[in-house]
């Protein structure tokens, strides 16, 4: 059974930083896409950053240069370091995993393929 458990959300002021963590278990596929998505208030879910195995990550334009996705394979943990946070980064953040291939396309359209989701962690950035 695939399980994803996020932690690390919270409230910060604009310009601050947060690091999200996601423990992933139960994934047996050797090739996979893992990543972070978010749902801002009143809007749909959108991709933030994704990575396929140990390849170079792909970032949304809105987060490039500010957010960094990384993973510790020994701990089965995915991270999202968020710096220079802006009020428009306020959202529920979800980690997700899917079978490998076209991870960039998956970031743009999370409905591509079978995706497993965590329960989400709230990030609130005040001005």
């Amino acid at each position: 059974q695939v399980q994803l458990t996020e932690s690390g959300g919270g409230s910060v002021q604009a310009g601050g930083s947060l690091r999200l963590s996601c423990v992933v278990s139960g994934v047996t596929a050797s090739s996979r896409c893992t990543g972070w998505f978010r749902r801002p208030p009143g809007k749909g879910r959108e991709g933030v950053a994704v990575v396929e195995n140990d390849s170079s990550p792909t970032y949304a334009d809105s987060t490039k240069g500010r957010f960094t996705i990384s993973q510790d394979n020994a701990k089965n943990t995915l991270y999202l370091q968020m710096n220079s946070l802006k009020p428009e980064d306020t959202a529920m953040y979800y980690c997700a995993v899917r079978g490998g291939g076209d991870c960039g396309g998956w970031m743009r359209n999370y409905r591509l393929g079978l995706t497993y989701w965590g329960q989400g962690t709230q990030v609130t950035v005040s001005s």
Side-chain angles (χ1 to χ4, degrees):
Q1 182 179 0
V2 177
Q3 290 187 321
L4 301 94
T5 306
E6 302 102 333
S7 61
S11 297
V12 295
Q13 290 190 326
S17 298
L18 282 174
R19 188 176 81 155
L20 307 183
S21 300
C22 175
V23 178
V24 182
S25 63
V27 177
T28 58
S30 58
S31 178
R32 69 189 72 166
C33 301
T34 50
W36 293 93
F37 294 75
R38 67 186 181 186
R39 186 194 301 273
K43 297 183 179 181
R45 195 171 300 196
E46 60 186 33
V48 174
V50 300
V51 61
E52 181 168 11
N53 294 351
D54 294 324
S55 300
S56 296
T58 300
Y59 294 93
D61 289 343
S62 60
T63 63
K64 201 174 298 183
R66 300 187 299 121
F67 291 10
T68 302
I69 187 172
S70 62
Q71 49 194 351
D72 184 333
N73 293 327
K75 296 181 179 179
N76 293 323
T77 302
L78 183 71
Y79 301 99
L80 184 68
Q81 177 67 44
M82 305 185 293
N83 299 328
S84 303
L85 282 161
K86 304 175 181 180
E88 51 264 44
D89 294 317
T90 294
M92 183 70 77
Y93 282 72
Y94 301 88
C95 70
V97 64
R98 195 207 68 176
D102 193 20
C103 295
W106 176 58
M107 188 185 75
R108 294 185 291 273
N109 182 0
Y110 65 88
R111 295 180 180 85
L112 291 177
L114 175 60
T115 297
Y116 296 91
W117 299 95
Q119 81 285 356
T121 186
Q122 178 67 38
V123 171
T124 302
V125 185
S126 58
S127 57

